[in-house]
Amino acid sequence: MNRISLLTFFLLISLLTTAQVQKFSRGHEYCHAKKIQNELSGMSKQFSPNAPAHSFDVLDYSMELDLMNNYSSPYPRNFQGNIVIQFRIDTALNAIELNANTLSLTIDSVGMAASAFTHSNNLLNISLDRTYLPGEIAMIKIYYQHNNVEDNAVYVSGGFLFTDCEPEGARKWFPCYDHPSDKATVSVKAKVPANVKLASNGRLQDSIPGTNSITYHWISRDPVATYLVILTSKVNYKLDIVYWTNPNTNEVVPMRFYYNNNENPGPMEAIIGDMTTFFSHEFGDHPFEKNGFATLNNQFAWGGMENQTLTSLCPDCWDEWLVAHEFAHQWFGDMITCATWADIFLNEGFATWTEAHWTENVSGYSAYKNEIDGNASYYLSANPGWAISNPDWAVNTPSSNTLFNYAITYMKGSCVLHQLRYVLGDSLYFAGIKAYATDTVDFKYKSATIGDFKTKMETVTEQELDWFFDAWIYKPNHPSYKNVYSFKPLQDGKWQVTFTARQQQASLYYWQMPIELRISFMNLTDTIIRVFNSYNNQIFTFEFDQQPANLQFDPHNDIVLKQASTIVSIDEPEAQNPGISVFPTQFDSQVIIRYSLDQPSNSNITVTDPMGRVVFQKSLPKQSAGIHEFEWDGSNLPSGFYFLNFSSGNQVKSFKIIRQ
């Protein structure tokens, strides 16, 4: 399928006034298009990013629903239910506050540890039968009705009933603490007509037939965020089950495919095993006891939604890259959930990047890079000018058009992960991602903040990454490079290359990054040099034994979130320390640095590996004008090549040296 133009894509969204299915060529297009349809209501307070302040922790939601009247004309939306909520007390309390949308829900009565209630302004305040102390566990029961209203959470028509809840729609069909960091196990018993198939989170515990009815009982073994709790049901639903065997544990996992008449999920059923095996290898074993996908009707006209163990898809949307995107969420979004909506990058940035990584698995790195380049191009053309994460979103949930902005949340988010891969290198990057996804102490089946992810990557890579996350996650926009370089002949047939890394953008912020330079020579050879650019107008000089012909900045376009030009300048200032030499450049242990200072000054020596990681750093005290030497011992380094950078003032001279 050809990618539709992005302009056409947004024109379709803005102009479409009747429900119909639009097909796209990439999974993130579907996902975004679906999620911006949901607007928010019933807002209330939210956790803070790193230390959720909350007086109780929900452990389990157990609900019983009577849906017998929802599948025949006139397809009413009202139904009766009750829910038992089990929670642990974290702070002594005699009342709790839950989210319950007042338009959607009518509360009839409460029981068990609940003694009274008030319900207004989308909040359900429940008085408890006594004061509970920290560590105690209590259970309350709530009898309620879902009203016959349209609320963009419960959808009923033509023999279908399904829910769709991100970001804050769960409170519209069951009372809950509706914030993503508070995850709980879930049990759903739903009575439906005998010709209806109903699916939900987790495993099918049983299905009990009655007179013209059937009661399904679904139980989720693993905690679920409220926005990922799902009901999906339909008269005469088609169902196929494919079984995947975990090659590491031999566990057999059912993959359930619910679909409409005249649809063919067969091609996806054929590759879901390979996709599960690949994601399990990259990010740790498939995390749940079951998984599944269900196509819905035209009320769900756009895209997909990654409900835990049961993804919703638009009608006949059995698209490989849509499934790859939503399935990636089972690891990033479901197994590990964003702690607040300020951390949505951990959901959508990860799923969009993983979709490209699936492309890499299927078609190779060039295809992956083409996809990332396309994501970057879209961001650069449609950037609305805000950061990927705004701390205020942890307290005040933004509109869906902001939270799920296609250019920022999806496109820029995926590109930031690609740039982190470039900064760290594949070995450390993939080790860090897998360590994050398999961390059973802090993250697996729990929630995380962006700061948590950063700390995990720093621990695995043994690198400080504040500079990276501060620039690419918490700052808006991107750098605009206006680099210059020059070539200069020296004595004895040597040549000097001078490169100035220069950014010129409206923001006063400067983006630090390791940068690569490809220098081509007259004899048709070339070399790539990697240095760390830490400040604006930083000058790098390199000396070669042959005549350079061309210099290319970021030759593989790995800093994809940028605008850049690099031009020759005959007026570019030279480094102020031309009298610097290093010998031997191929060494076993000792390297002598000889340098001249034309005035008293401080100097710095830094040695980096090809990835830009600092392996040695020394600040020299102020020295008088004249010739000096410094002896460096590099015997502890592994064999390979390194870059030795000498700076005095704001001038830098770099040498490529080889540890034999």
Side-chain angles (χ1 to χ4, degrees):
M1 183 186 300
N2 293 326
R3 181 187 292 267
I4 66 169
S5 76
L6 295 166
L7 174 61
T8 302
F9 168 67
F10 278 101
L11 286 174
L12 284 169
I13 290 178
S14 62
L15 296 177
L16 189 64
T17 57
T18 60
Q20 56 182 315
V21 179
Q22 174 65 37
K23 295 301 182 70
F24 304 117
S25 61
R26 307 308 303 180
H28 46 262
E29 293 175 337
Y30 284 98
C31 184
H32 158 263
K34 178 264 158 206
K35 290 182 179 179
I36 63 167
Q37 305 306 305
N38 282 359
E39 278 305 324
L40 308 176
S41 65
M43 294 299 174
S44 67
K45 60 189 177 184
Q46 175 59 289
F47 292 116
S48 60
N50 294 311
H54 190 37
S55 58
F56 63 92
D57 175 22
V58 178
L59 303 177
D60 182 75
Y61 296 102
S62 182
M63 66 185 84
E64 296 182 352
L65 307 172
D66 185 347
L67 307 177
M68 287 294 292
N69 297 322
N70 301 107
Y71 300 91
S72 56
S73 182
Y75 305 109
R77 300 174 186 85
N78 57 297
F79 57 81
Q80 290 186 324
N82 67 76
I83 185 168
V84 174
I85 302 177
Q86 182 185 60
F87 55 95
R88 182 180 58 243
I89 286 76
D90 292 337
T91 303
L93 50 79
N94 58 15
I96 65 169
E97 183 179 272
L98 299 173
N99 303 107
N101 186 272
T102 47
L103 172 69
S104 300
L105 299 182
T106 297
I107 308 302
D108 295 326
S109 63
V110 296
M112 301 179 78
S115 60
F117 73 91
T118 61
H119 184 206
S120 62
N121 298 321
N122 301 313
L123 295 175
L124 176 61
N125 290 281
I126 296 180
S127 300
L128 302 178
D129 56 359
R130 63 177 175 86
T131 297
Y132 286 80
L133 299 179
E136 289 193 272
I137 293 176
M139 298 174 69
I140 60 173
K141 191 167 189 175
I142 304 168
Y143 295 87
Y144 70 97
Q145 300 177 48
H146 183 271
N147 301 320
N148 189 19
V149 295
E150 292 187 22
D151 57 14
N152 294 321
V154 176
Y155 297 85
V156 181
S157 68
F160 255 109
L161 183 151
F162 63 87
T163 61
D164 184 43
C165 296
E166 190 179 21
E168 295 178 343
R171 64 190 69 182
K172 297 178 182 179
W173 70 278
F174 65 98
C176 56
Y177 188 78
D178 196 14
H179 301 284
S181 64
D182 195 352
K183 301 170 75 169
T185 54
V186 176
S187 168
V188 176
K189 286 184 179 179
K191 183 179 180 181
V192 297
N195 61 348
V196 170
K197 287 186 177 68
L198 180 142
S200 187
N201 309 94
R203 70 180 182 277
L204 181 59
Q205 179 71 6
D206 52 44
S207 52
I208 303 172
T211 304
N212 300 319
S213 70
I214 185 168
T215 300
Y216 289 92
H217 185 194
W218 290 89
I219 298 177
S220 177
R221 175 194 69 188
D222 305 304
V224 189
T226 48
Y227 78 92
L228 297 169
V229 179
I230 179 68
L231 286 180
T232 299
S233 57
K234 182 188 183 239
V235 173
N236 298 324
Y237 230 163
K238 301 291 186 181
L239 172 63
D240 295 341
I241 304 177
V242 174
Y243 295 93
W244 173 76
T245 300
N246 186 326
N248 298 321
T249 66
N250 292 320
E251 176 190 13
V252 177
V253 178
M255 302 285 179
R256 301 172 74 93
F257 289 77
Y258 295 86
Y259 59 100
N260 301 302
N261 289 330
N262 302 316
E263 292 183 1
N264 178 21
M268 270 314 309
E269 293 174 7
I271 66 173
I272 194 62
D274 290 341
M275 190 178 289
T276 309
T277 299
F278 176 67
F279 286 173
S280 296
H281 176 267
E282 297 294 275
F283 313 127
D285 285 343
H286 177 272
F288 303 118
E289 58 198 318
K290 164 274 245 161
N291 227 303
F293 305 87
T295 49
L296 305 179
N297 63 8
N298 285 344
Q299 288 184 297
F300 191 91
W302 301 96
M305 175 61 208
E306 65 274 10
N307 311 295
Q308 188 163 308
T309 74
L310 185 64
T311 293
S312 297
L313 302 173
C314 52
D316 201 24
C317 291
W318 297 107
D319 177 89
E320 179 177 348
W321 277 268
L322 170 60
V323 170
H325 179 100
E326 304 300 343
F327 197 38
H329 275 305
Q330 300 299 308
W331 283 260
F332 304 115
D334 295 10
M335 182 188 75
I336 304 176
T337 304
C338 59
T340 77
W341 297 116
D343 306 297
I344 192 66
F345 164 72
L346 300 178
N347 291 23
E348 297 302 345
F350 273 65
T352 306
W353 177 84
T354 302
E355 181 187 342
H357 189 41
W358 172 249
T359 297
E360 181 178 5
N361 175 65
V362 172
S363 303
Y365 183 85
S366 293
Y368 156 85
K369 188 54 168 48
N370 286 339
E371 190 166 328
I372 292 294
D373 288 345
N375 294 354
S377 294
Y378 183 84
Y379 158 76
L380 292 169
S381 67
N383 171 27
W386 60 73
I388 285 178
S389 179
N390 183 336
D392 182 66
W393 298 349
V395 181
N396 302 300
T397 308
S399 72
S400 291
N401 284 331
T402 297
L403 186 63
F404 300 112
N405 180 270
Y406 190 58
I408 297 294
T409 303
Y410 294 79
M411 302 292 92
K412 187 176 184 181
S414 67
C415 292
V416 166
L417 285 170
H418 169 78
Q419 292 186 168
L420 184 60
R421 178 180 181 179
Y422 159 71
V423 166
L424 297 175
D426 278 10
S427 179
L428 288 178
Y429 173 79
F430 285 107
I433 295 292
K434 190 166 187 177
Y436 166 69
T438 57
D439 186 334
T440 57
V441 174
D442 293 322
F443 304 127
K444 194 171 184 179
Y445 304 118
K446 299 180 177 69
S447 59
T449 66
I450 295 171
D452 292 330
F453 170 66
K454 177 187 76 72
T455 298
K456 187 65 176 181
M457 295 299 287
E458 288 178 329
T459 300
V460 173
T461 64
E462 298 182 339
Q463 297 186 40
E464 184 273 315
L465 295 171
D466 279 345
W467 62 271
F468 181 89
F469 282 81
D470 183 63
W472 298 109
I473 298 292
Y474 299 110
K475 293 291 189 295
N477 304 316
H478 52 272
S480 178
Y481 288 95
K482 303 292 185 182
N483 306 312
V484 293
Y485 72 94
S486 62
F487 301 148
K488 178 182 177 180
L490 304 175
Q491 295 179 349
D492 303 324
K494 297 184 181 297
W495 285 81
Q496 178 178 287
V497 175
T498 301
F499 175 83
T500 303
R502 178 174 296 162
Q503 292 179 23
Q504 294 179 358
Q505 54 260 348
S507 169
L508 297 178
Y509 188 80
Y510 188 80
W511 277 262
Q512 301 180 65
M513 279 294 278
I515 58 175
E516 291 187 346
L517 307 172
R518 175 185 283 149
I519 301 173
S520 302
F521 298 96
M522 298 299 290
N523 64 1
L524 303 182
T525 62
D526 60 37
T527 187
I528 291 180
I529 297 174
R530 183 176 176 121
V531 293
F532 193 87
N533 174 209
S534 55
Y535 55 86
N536 206 3
N537 295 310
Q538 187 171 5
I539 299 174
F540 301 89
T541 61
F542 314 96
E543 190 174 298
F544 298 99
D545 293 329
Q546 51 187 318
Q547 183 177 354
N550 186 49
L551 183 148
Q552 184 181 3
F553 170 70
D554 192 18
H556 301 115
N557 190 36
D558 278 312
I559 308 174
V560 291
L561 299 172
K562 71 174 186 307
Q563 295 167 314
S565 66
T566 302
I567 61 172
V568 177
S569 173
I570 60 174
D571 298 322
E572 187 63 19
E574 299 179 4
Q576 294 181 3
N577 296 298
I580 303 172
S581 60
V582 169
F583 59 92
T585 55
Q586 298 187 36
F587 66 98
D588 290 318
S589 56
Q590 307 300 316
V591 175
I592 305 297
I593 306 160
R594 179 174 294 167
Y595 54 97
S596 64
L597 302 177
D598 57 6
Q599 61 183 3
S601 62
N602 299 314
S603 302
N604 291 281
I605 299 169
T606 304
V607 180
T608 60
D609 68 11
M611 300 303 300
R613 295 181 291 245
V614 175
V615 298
F616 174 80
Q617 192 166 33
K618 178 73 172 178
S619 294
L620 303 177
K622 182 176 286 188
Q623 296 171 299
S624 61
I627 298 175
H628 303 270
E629 284 189 358
F630 179 83
E631 185 175 296
W632 170 64
D633 184 357
S635 60
N636 62 326
L637 295 178
S639 298
F641 69 89
Y642 298 86
F643 295 102
L644 189 152
N645 307 301
F646 181 93
S647 66
S648 178
N650 66 349
Q651 306 302 309
V652 176
K653 188 164 185 179
S654 296
F655 300 85
K656 183 176 179 179
I657 57 177
I658 300 173
R659 168 76 165 90
Q660 295 178 325

